[in-house]
Amino acid sequence: MHKTDVLLGLQWGDEGKGKIVDLLAPGYDVIARFQGGPNAGHSLEFDHIKHVLHTIPSGIFHKDKINLIGNGVVIDPVVFKTETEALENLSVSTINTIYISKKAHLILPSHRILDAASESAKGDTKIGSTLKGIGPTYMDKTGRNGLRIGDIQLPDFIEKYNFLKNKHKVILEQYDYYDEPEKYEKEWFTGIEKLRTYNLVESEYFINQLINEKKKILAEGAQGTLLDLDFGSYPYVTSSNTICASACSGLGIAPTKIGEVIGVFKAYCTRVGGGPFPTELKDKNGEKLRNQGKEFGSTTGRPRRCGWLDLPALKYSIMINGVTQLMITKADVLTGFETLKICTGYQTADKSIDSLSFDAEQQPEPVYKKMKGWKSDISEIRKWSNLPKEFTGYINYIENATGIPVTIISLGPDRSSTLFRGKE
Ligand code: GDP
Ligand code: IMO
Ligand code: MG
C-alpha cells in the first residue's frame, strides 16, 4: 500500500498550494480535494498561462490523473460549470477524470445570500468572507439540513431544494438584507444538469479501492491552518477544518493510511479578510511585499494584507498537522529588501510568549530577529549552492527553528521556477 500524502497550507491560505500540487502531480495517480469549496482559488502556471481553480483539484492539467472531489467539499454547481467549461475550452478533458463524492454538500443560491446577509449584519466585525456561501452551507451540513450531490439523483430533489430554500427565506426575514434566490435558480439548475453528467461516486469506497490497488494519492488542502474552524483565530476563520485530520474525514481515509504531510508556506505572511495578524506591515515594506508578490486575491481580487514571516504561527501549524516536510513559496519576492525580519515570539503587557492567543481580539507585539537581505535576482537559480548566503541563511534559520526540512523552494509562479533541494 502507498500511504496517502497530504499537502496543505500552514498560514492564512494562498500559500501557493495550487502551484505545488500541479508540480507534484506527475508523481501521483489521484489528486483529491477534501474540504472547502469555491472560497479557494488555487493558481498554477505553465507555458506562460495562469489558471485559477476553485473546486477542481490541481491535478487536472495532467492527463490520466483521477481528480476526486471528496465528501468534505462544498460545491456550487454554477462555479463548477464555469470552471469545467473553461477547462474544456482549453481541450482539457474533465468528464472522465473528475469524480465527485455523492456525500459532498451543495451550495444553494440562498446559502450565498445568507452569507452576504450575515456579513452585512456584522458591520465592522465582519469576517471578510469570500461570499461564496461557505459558512451557511457547512451550517446546514452540521445542522443536518443540507442537500448533497447524491440528492440530485433522487426523485424528490426539487421538493428537497424548495424545502431548504423556503427555510432560508424565513431566516432571511431577520436580516436587513434581501435578495431573491429565484433570480439565480435557472443558472443553478443548469449547473445541476452539468453535475449529473459526471461520475458521482461513493467516494470512500472509491478511494479505498484505489489505495488497495496501490495507487498513489495526494490530498490537496484548501485555505490554511490559521483559518481552521477549531485552531484558527476564531471567529475569523473559515467554516471547515483545514488541517491534516480533515483529509481523513473529508475523504474517508483512515489516519493509519496517511504518509507524508507536506506543509506549504510563503516566505512571508499574507491574510485576506479580517482577524489578527501580528506581523502585518502597514508601511512601505508591506506595500513592497504586496506589489512584488502581486498579492491580490485569486478568488475575490481583494488586496491581501502582508507582513513578515511568523515563526510561532508556523510552528503551531506544524504541530497541529504533524508536518514532515516544508515547501517554501514566493522566496523570490523577498529580493531587494535591505533587512528582513522573522517574528520569533510575542511581547504582551507583562510577559514574552511564543504561543498563539485564544482571544482573536488580542494583537500581541511581535519580537523580531533581523536578518540581512539579498539584492541579486534569485528567480532563475536552480542549485542550492548558487543561492546568496543571506538567502540560504534565511532557510536554515527556519529549518533549525522548526526542525523540519525544506524540500522545495519556489522561486516564481511558473511550474519551472522551482528548486528541488538535494535533487539539483
Ligand atoms: P493557493 O490558494 O495556496 O493555491 O495560492 P494562490 O494561487 O491563491 O496564491 C498564490 C499566488 O502566488 C498565485 O498568484 C501564484 O501564481 C503565485 N505564486 C506561487 N508560487 C510563487 C512563487 O514562488 N513566486 C511568486 N512570485 N509567485 C508565486
Ligand atoms: P485558498 O484555498 C485565503 C478567508 C476569507 C475570510 C475567511 C472566511 O485559496 O488558500 P469563507 O468564504 O471561507 O467563509 O471566508 O477565510 N479565506 C481564504 N483566504 N485563501 C483561501 O483559500 C481562503 N478561503 C477563505 O478571506 O477571511
Ligand atoms: Mg488561493
Side-chain angles (χ1 to χ4, degrees), residues 73-94:
V73 176
V74 291
I75 300 175
D76 184 331
V78 178
V79 178
F80 180 81
K81 180 168 178 284
T82 309
E83 226 177 312
T84 44
E85 283 176 356
L87 289 165
E88 285 154 17
N89 287 341
L90 298 169
S91 304
V92 175
S93 115
T94 62

Side-chain angles (χ1 to χ4, degrees), residues 333-354:
V333 176
L334 292 184
T335 300
F337 283 84
E338 196 70 44
T339 306
L340 299 170
K341 291 187 188 174
I342 296 185
C343 167
T344 55
Y346 314 110
Q347 185 66 46
T348 66
D350 51 354
K351 57 179 188 299
S352 305
I353 51 169
D354 63 357

Side-chain angles (χ1 to χ4, degrees), residues 41-99:
H42 293 184
S43 327
L44 46 101
E45 204 173 307
F46 53 90
D47 299 339
H48 308 291
I49 300 173
K50 180 170 176 163
H51 307 273
V52 183
L53 298 167
H54 301 286
T55 317
I56 295 170
S58 303
I60 196 73
F61 291 99
H62 297 271
K63 247 180 119 210
D64 304 329
K65 304 291 173 196
I66 291 175
N67 289 277
L68 174 64
I69 301 174
N71 55 280
V73 176
V74 291
I75 300 175
D76 184 331
V78 178
V79 178
F80 180 81
K81 180 168 178 284
T82 309
E83 226 177 312
T84 44
E85 283 176 356
L87 289 165
E88 285 154 17
N89 287 341
L90 298 169
S91 304
V92 175
S93 115
T94 62
I95 198 79
N96 294 318
T97 54
I98 295 178
Y99 291 75

Side-chain angles (χ1 to χ4, degrees), residues 281-292 306 308 337-338:
L281 293 166
K282 293 181 176 161
D283 59 4
K284 64 176 187 350
N285 279 334
E287 278 295 309
K288 192 168 168 179
L289 284 173
R290 183 158 36 254
N291 292 334
Q292 290 192 181
C306 298
W308 298 122
F337 283 84
E338 196 70 44

Side-chain angles (χ1 to χ4, degrees), residues 16 28 70 94-95 166 168 177 187 228 230 243 258 320 366 383:
Y28 292 92
T94 62
I95 198 79
N166 289 331
H168 292 160
Y177 181 98
E187 201 187 10
D228 180 87
D230 283 85
I243 58 172
I258 300 296
I320 298 287
K383 271 181 93 138

